[in-house]
Amino acid sequence: MIALQNITKTYRSRGQTVDAVRDITLHVEKGEIFGIIGHSGAGKSTLIRCINLLERPTSGSVTVGGTELTKLGGKELQRQRRKIGMIFQHFNLLSSASVRDNIAFPLRLAGMKKTAINARVDELLSLVGLEEHGNKYPAQLSGGQKQRVGIARALAADPEVLLCDEATSALDPQTTNAILSLLMDINEKLGLTIVLITHEMQVIRSICDRVAVMDGGRIVEMDTVLNVFLRPSHPVTRQFVNELADPSGAVPVARRAGGKLVRLHFVGEQTYEPVLFEALKGTGVQCAILEGTVARMKHTPYGQLIVELSGNGPDIESVIDSLRRSGLDAEVIG
């Protein structure tokens, strides 16, 4: 659906050149939710704006739905852009227009007839749960409601792709979860391809299928969300994953001499099975649970435990081997 090939975006300022994005190649499959994460200044906003050519790459090609956008200009580029919706961190609504008029705005630009516009706006208000708010103005809405208007407006022209530029960064956690649930629902109902950028790993974990991690204008790691969580390879990725597991950054310390700290990852239905109990049974090894979380990666249950195993050294190794044979990712961390 989306193919970026060797994309570089260079800015020139005061006689200096800065590569905001450097030689990036990636492919996004039709119908997937693809996340791009990075710290401020990593280049993720520039990259997502290259997809619809709001930022034209200095070099490289952008292809969406089989059409190479970087070869287009003028009216043809404008026509192809209608297939790409976009929502923004700060909503970008018309403050003097009602909710209905904000949603209808791109349809009026496209020359759609009034009766068709009204029907489409009604449909979109229902989709985003704002049926009772059509005649209100942005100043009368909460942040979450404003973002729902932004989503409805982005969907007005029935796009094939939805780009989300830090769409939840200005929202509180509860509202963020509601907007993410809405985006996942839209993805599943409409088969829409979604690309989102964020600096929050919780957003990636909640709804994305795959993720690219950016640092210094480059993609430093890219894989399924599950693999990135289980086996992060780049220091920036490990930082994001560790911050989500424990925002304080504190690492538990073994309390007993000879004890081993082990981080266990549970995936799927195994999250709810007594795998640890079965591995310990009859071994004489004692287990203390120091930390634990259970969450979901999109639709997949996922759990993490940090445990201290104490007892006879060979018996501890036997327990760890048993856990790994059962399919758990068991990492000795101390």
Side-chain angles (χ1 to χ4, degrees):
M1 173 55 72
I2 300 171
L4 306 183
Q5 194 71 35
N6 302 117
I7 293 295
T8 294
K9 176 62 180 179
T10 302
Y11 294 101
R12 290 175 174 82
S13 176
R14 299 179 183 178
Q16 293 184 325
T17 61
V18 177
D19 289 337
V21 171
R22 293 187 283 172
D23 195 30
I24 284 182
T25 295
L26 66 83
H27 295 80
V28 180
E29 300 298 327
K30 181 176 176 60
E32 84 172 319
I33 302 180
F34 189 93
I36 301 171
I37 190 169
H39 294 297
S40 179
K44 55 190 186 297
S45 289
T46 300
L47 180 62
I48 200 172
R49 291 167 70 87
C50 284
I51 294 176
N52 58 3
L53 264 62
L54 289 180
E55 296 281 358
R56 186 172 280 271
T58 305
S59 61
S61 65
V62 177
T63 301
V64 179
T67 300
E68 188 176 335
L69 301 188
T70 36
K71 287 185 175 180
L72 305 180
K75 291 184 177 179
E76 181 57 24
L77 176 58
Q78 189 176 24
R79 188 177 72 84
Q80 291 297 326
R81 276 185 178 145
R82 290 176 190 155
K83 300 178 182 179
I84 307 172
M86 191 166 190
I87 58 176
F88 305 89
Q89 178 179 358
H90 297 296
F91 320 127
N92 290 9
L93 302 180
L94 302 171
S95 60
S96 60
S98 69
V99 168
R100 293 189 66 89
D101 287 340
N102 266 281
I103 298 171
F105 182 69
L107 301 177
R108 292 197 179 103
L109 288 181
M112 185 180 287
K113 292 182 179 179
K114 186 175 181 180
T115 53
I117 289 176
N118 288 335
R120 179 63 174 156
V121 170
D122 287 340
E123 180 184 350
L124 290 165
L125 285 170
S126 176
L127 180 66
V128 301
L130 292 178
E131 299 95 322
E132 307 299 321
H133 301 278
N135 294 321
K136 291 183 179 179
Y137 288 82
Q140 298 172 285
L141 304 177
S142 68
Q145 289 169 335
K146 289 176 184 177
Q147 195 57 284
R148 287 172 184 268
V149 177
I151 293 170
R153 181 183 58 187
L155 297 177
D158 197 20
E160 298 174 359
V161 172
L162 181 63
L163 306 180
C164 306
D165 188 356
E166 295 276 10
T168 60
S169 294
L171 306 176
D172 62 74
Q174 185 175 0
T175 306
T176 291
N177 289 336
I179 293 299
L180 293 177
S181 293
L182 175 61
L183 289 174
M184 191 159 60
D185 189 49
I186 288 169
N187 165 258
E188 292 173 352
K189 283 182 178 177
L190 306 181
L192 197 66
T193 303
I194 297 178
V195 180
L196 63 85
I197 64 169
T198 183
H199 61 273
E200 300 172 292
M201 205 62 172
Q202 170 62 24
V203 171
I204 299 295
R205 183 177 71 178
S206 296
I207 69 169
C208 292
D209 300 299
R210 289 192 299 141
V211 60
V213 182
M214 288 193 68
D215 184 50
R218 297 184 182 274
I219 291 178
V220 296
E221 188 162 356
M222 183 164 52
D223 207 333
T224 65
V225 173
L226 183 59
N227 283 342
V228 164
F229 267 82
L230 292 181
R231 290 170 285 275
S233 62
H234 192 274
V236 171
T237 312
R238 288 197 292 271
Q239 182 184 9
F240 278 120
V241 172
N242 290 339
E243 285 175 355
L244 182 57
D246 182 7
S248 71
V251 177
V253 178
R255 302 170 303 161
R256 306 179 190 182
K260 281 194 175 181
L261 291 183
V262 181
R263 181 184 286 118
L264 304 173
H265 294 282
F266 302 79
V267 180
E269 293 307 312
Q270 195 177 49
T271 305
Y272 307 112
E273 295 174 356
V275 180
L276 180 57
F277 172 79
E278 292 294 337
L280 291 167
K281 191 166 58 177
T283 65
V285 174
Q286 293 182 310
C287 175
I289 297 175
L290 305 183
E291 285 185 7
T293 59
V294 175
R296 299 186 78 85
M297 291 187 189
K298 202 170 183 179
H299 299 303
T300 303
Y302 164 82
Q304 176 180 285
L305 288 179
I306 295 180
V307 300
E308 181 191 31
L309 302 178
S310 58
N312 181 273
D315 290 340
I316 293 175
E317 292 299 326
S318 176
V319 168
I320 294 172
D321 288 342
S322 176
L323 290 168
R324 288 171 176 163
R325 285 196 303 273
S326 69
L328 263 66
D329 188 90
E331 175 191 6
V332 178
I333 61 173

